[in-house]
Structures are given as structure tokens and as C-alpha cells.
Amino acid sequence: DVYKRQGGDVATAEQLYEEGAFAESEDVLREVVQDDPEDAEARKDLARVLAAQGNIEGAIEEYHYVIQANPDDTGAFKEVALLERQIGLADEAASHLEVAAAGGTDPWLWDELARTYLQLGREGDAAEAWARLLEAADLSDEERKSVLIMQAEAYLEADMADHGSAAYEAALEVDPSDQNVRERLAELSGDV
């Protein structure tokens, strides 16, 4: 058996994955997980391989096992959330992203959470998640302006016009030459 000869381990499975041999990688990882059900890295790799083959539900199941075994693995919370969002499980995705963003070191998780909140019609929560991103991340001016504009629109959708206008004003401070932001602010203030 070629996989036994190569060691049948996670490194072999990762190599097969990189080569696009997803089914073979899955076979190796299933053997590893069968031999050691507690191997979280093998389970994460298995989830990645399953997702690559379109088996999103199977991938989610593997990530749930990892999360149960290690509730501090914010990376697993993020990955499962993105898969859940992909198949329309936005409530579950939001719950998992909340954990990942609160405990993680990647400030962009707040952006993922905000986008998930938008899917759920929770515009005010989305705007607040973008506020957390603005606080946590060292953003370029272009990134900052983009986040402020998304935040402004979320506030407006949440009927929080003052907050929306303030976010647009902050975006204009970042880029005073942005005519679209200037026009949107004029619309909001009724100066059009």
C-alpha cells in the first residue's frame, strides 16, 4: 500500500492535498483519525480535505469535534463558521465567529462577524463589529475608509442615522477627496 510505505501520516496527507489528490489525502487522514481520534491537527486537515471535495457538512462535523476537544482553538471556530455561513447556517456561523473574534488575534475576524450579522439582518451589531475592527487593526487609509463606509451603511440600515453620519464623516477625514462620501453625507444632511 503506497500510503503505508509513505508513512500514512499527516505530512503525507498534506502533500497529497497540495498535489490536488483530495480523495487520497482523505483516505490517509481517515486512517490517522481512526488510529488516534484525539489528533486535532489531523481532524482539521480532514475537514479541509472534505471541504475541498464539496463535503461541507462533513467538514463542519470534523471542526465540531475539534472545538469540543479544544474550546480554545479560535482557528477552528473561524473555519467552521465560514463553512456554516457558506451553506446558510448564519446563526451558527455568528455564534462561532463571536468566539473566534473575542479570543483570536486576527482583527479581521470582526469583519467576518460583521458580514455574518448583515446576513442575519443585525445591522447594528454589524456596525459594532466593524467598530471593533477599527479599534483592533492597524489599517491602511484605504482599508479604514472602506470599513467606515460599510459601518456607516450598517448604522443607517439600523435606523441609527447620527452614527451613520458620524462614520461617513470619519471616512471623509481619512480621504477628504472622496466625492462619493461627500455626496452621501450631503444626502444624509438634506443638503442635496
Side-chain angles (χ1 to χ4, degrees), residues 31 33-34 46 51 63 69 73 75 77 87-88 100 107 113 121 123 125 131-132 137 146-147 157 164 168 173 181 192:
E31 273 188 40
V33 168
Q34 185 176 350
L46 180 57
Y63 279 122
D73 189 336
F77 277 93
I87 62 170
L113 180 57
E123 290 84 2
D125 290 333
R132 297 287 298 266
S146 176
V147 171
E157 287 294 318
Y168 268 121
E173 285 177 26
V181 171
V192 178

Side-chain angles (χ1 to χ4, degrees), residues 15-129:
Q15 180 64 38
L16 289 165
Y17 177 88
E18 295 302 321
E19 293 169 2
F22 302 132
E24 293 85 351
S25 180
E26 178 185 349
D27 290 342
V28 172
L29 289 166
R30 287 204 184 276
E31 273 188 40
V32 171
V33 168
Q34 185 176 350
D35 291 344
D36 182 6
E38 305 301 314
D39 188 334
E41 292 307 311
R43 285 191 177 273
K44 285 192 262 188
D45 284 344
L46 180 57
R48 194 172 75 163
V49 167
L50 292 170
Q53 296 177 92
N55 184 352
I56 304 302
E57 291 84 1
I60 289 171
E61 189 176 313
E62 291 301 324
Y63 279 122
H64 281 192
Y65 186 89
V66 171
I67 288 168
Q68 233 175 1
N70 184 3
D72 295 328
D73 189 336
T74 56
F77 277 93
K78 171 192 172 189
E79 294 303 324
V80 75
L82 296 178
L83 292 170
E84 288 165 337
R85 193 172 69 189
Q86 186 178 329
I87 62 170
L89 300 174
D91 283 318
E92 293 86 342
S95 293
H96 288 126
L97 281 169
E98 287 165 355
V99 172
T105 58
D106 179 2
W108 285 100
L109 289 171
W110 294 107
D111 180 61
E112 294 293 349
L113 180 57
R115 292 170 189 275
T116 304
Y117 283 151
L118 287 180
Q119 283 184 324
L120 293 168
R122 296 170 54 185
E123 290 84 2
D125 290 333
E128 292 305 315

